[in-house]
Amino acid sequence: MSEVTKRALDTVTGLIDGQADDWDRAGLLPVDLLRKLGADGRLCAQVPAEYGGRGLSSLENGEFTAGVGSLCSSVRSVMTSQGMAAWTIERLGTAEQRAAWLPRLTGGELAAAGFSEPGAGSDLSAIATSIRRDGDSVVIDGRKVWVTAAHYADLLVVFGRYEDGAAAVVVPSDAPGVRVERVADPLGCRAAGHANITLDSVRLPADAVLGGVGLSLPLLVTTALAYGRISVAWGCVGILRGCRTAAARHATTREQFGKPLAEHQLVARHLAELLVAEQLATRVSEHASRCWDSGSPEQVMATVLAKHVSADQATRGAETALQVLASAGARDGHLVARAYRDAKLMKIIEGSHEMCQLMLAEHAVNGSI
């Protein structure tokens, strides 16, 4: 871990450590904490310094994300959402748009990115939200579901159909016609502020459309989801680190049949499996981040692979850790119980497990995805 990453993580650890269970049970994060992290540039740490960000590499930001994920997946989820919004603005926005919006995202304002709709989940080609030009304005109509961090967001980066293609538009959450409704009692990442968004004839200046032009929908979605996928992959590394630490601590202090659990061979096997899972997720995520940082043509495939492998290992690893802790971990408020629920969502968001498999299969056949 680089010194830059370590310093960033030490600060966040002091703010989060020991509180994640209470936040999870309450289903809410302290907004002042999120704004503090945002104003420190820690919610989207890859944003360049010229826009108030920390300018971390993908590898540095990945290690930072894993560290936060080992403490609280809900905070990590907000980081992923903020990072996706910032990445989309950075990649698709004009110079003027980057200068206008990125400093807001590194200055304490919060953002969310809306893809999924009632009829468009894995099949994002079915997006029905419309962004219509009307003179010097655009009018947005549609509905987005399960938008992470939308409950806290000041700005919403909304994806929809525009002209002959698609576009992303930056929508203030308090704009007339915007309604944000929290998702009640989500299975995992309970405090991440998941919400459904209704956009009813929302009128904004035309320059709210990033780049001001319509783009290919697959290109648009791939650009934005790539950041989310690699962030989730690193977040799963964090889940596994937390689970391994908790399981090892329990197995070395809990005695059965006259010796610590860790000295029973079948329990030791579980601990070995957890270490293997953590190492697999870490190495595949490191490879993906190095592809990002080097501009490798393997970047897209490596990112999908990292998300797929890490989410799968986190789900299996959380179940293994729960097996080791047994009743000691099987209650709300315990890190392992929280990880068990959080990890399952990681196999669904930012491209389901099945969609990742299809993309990887296409790469196996055609050499591209």
Side-chain angles (χ1 to χ4, degrees), residues 28-117:
L28 285 171
L29 296 170
V31 177
D32 57 346
L33 168 69
L34 298 179
R35 295 202 183 281
K36 177 177 176 56
L37 294 175
D40 287 343
R42 299 181 196 276
L43 292 184
C44 46
Q46 279 184 244
V47 172
E50 65 185 287
Y51 301 114
R54 293 183 166 262
L56 299 190
S57 67
S58 179
L59 186 59
E60 290 170 333
N61 191 45
E63 279 288 355
F64 176 54
T65 301
V68 175
S70 70
L71 299 169
C72 180
S73 283
S74 287
V75 173
R76 195 277 309 154
S77 292
V78 173
M79 285 175 56
T80 298
S81 181
Q82 187 94 348
M84 287 174 69
W87 178 254
T88 302
I89 292 168
E90 186 180 344
R91 296 285 290 178
L92 302 179
T94 64
E96 293 78 10
Q97 289 171 327
R98 292 194 295 271
W101 280 313
L102 289 177
R104 294 173 64 174
L105 299 189
T106 59
E109 292 193 52
L110 305 173
F115 297 92
S116 296
E117 299 181 3

Side-chain angles (χ1 to χ4, degrees), residues 1 5-6 8-10 12-14 16-17 59-73 75-76 79 231 233-242 282 335 338:
M1 182 182 296
T5 304
K6 186 177 184 302
L9 186 57
D10 285 347
V12 176
T13 299
I16 295 175
D17 202 16
L59 186 59
E60 290 170 333
N61 191 45
E63 279 288 355
F64 176 54
T65 301
V68 175
S70 70
L71 299 169
C72 180
S73 283
V75 173
R76 195 277 309 154
M79 285 175 56
S231 182
W234 278 108
C236 288
V237 171
I239 288 173
L240 284 162
R241 287 179 185 171
T282 300
L335 181 149
R338 179 159 43 86

Side-chain angles (χ1 to χ4, degrees), residues 174-357:
D174 60 357
V178 177
R179 187 167 73 253
V180 179
E181 300 172 295
R182 283 187 65 195
V183 173
D185 302 320
L187 172 69
C189 300
R190 289 173 172 173
H194 305 295
N196 301 325
I197 301 168
T198 301
L199 303 139
D200 185 7
S201 298
V202 179
R203 183 175 293 272
L204 298 172
D207 63 7
V209 176
L210 293 177
V213 296
L215 301 171
S216 156
L217 181 60
L219 173 63
L220 184 73
V221 170
T222 299
T223 296
L225 280 183
Y227 185 98
R229 286 171 177 156
I230 199 165
S231 182
V232 166
W234 278 108
C236 288
V237 171
I239 288 173
L240 284 162
R241 287 179 185 171
C243 285
R244 176 184 55 80
T245 299
R249 183 185 302 117
H250 181 78
T252 54
T253 56
R254 168 76 164 165
E255 290 192 2
Q256 290 289 279
F257 302 101
K259 60 183 178 180
L261 285 176
E263 295 181 17
H264 292 272
Q265 287 186 340
L266 291 179
V267 177
R269 183 195 70 189
H270 287 319
L271 299 177
E273 288 173 345
L274 269 169
L275 178 64
V276 169
E278 180 195 348
Q279 288 296 307
L280 279 172
T282 300
R283 302 308 159 221
V284 76
S285 297
E286 286 176 343
H287 173 65
S289 280
R290 289 193 175 102
C291 287
W292 274 60
D293 291 336
S294 67
S296 168
E298 294 184 32
Q299 176 182 330
V300 175
M301 186 279 292
T303 299
V304 174
L305 181 65
K307 194 273 180 184
H308 177 70
V309 171
S310 297
D312 190 44
Q313 294 301 317
T315 305
R316 295 168 185 265
E319 182 178 8
T320 298
L322 186 56
Q323 191 69 27
V324 172
L325 274 86
S327 58
R331 58 177 175 80
D332 262 2
H334 194 286
L335 181 149
V336 169
R338 179 159 43 86
Y340 184 78
R341 291 183 283 99
D342 293 346
K344 183 59 183 177
L345 285 190
M346 300 306 107
K347 291 183 72 171
I348 298 171
I349 64 171
E350 317 308 356
S352 70
H353 201 60
E354 293 78 9
M355 289 303 298
C356 288
Q357 287 176 316

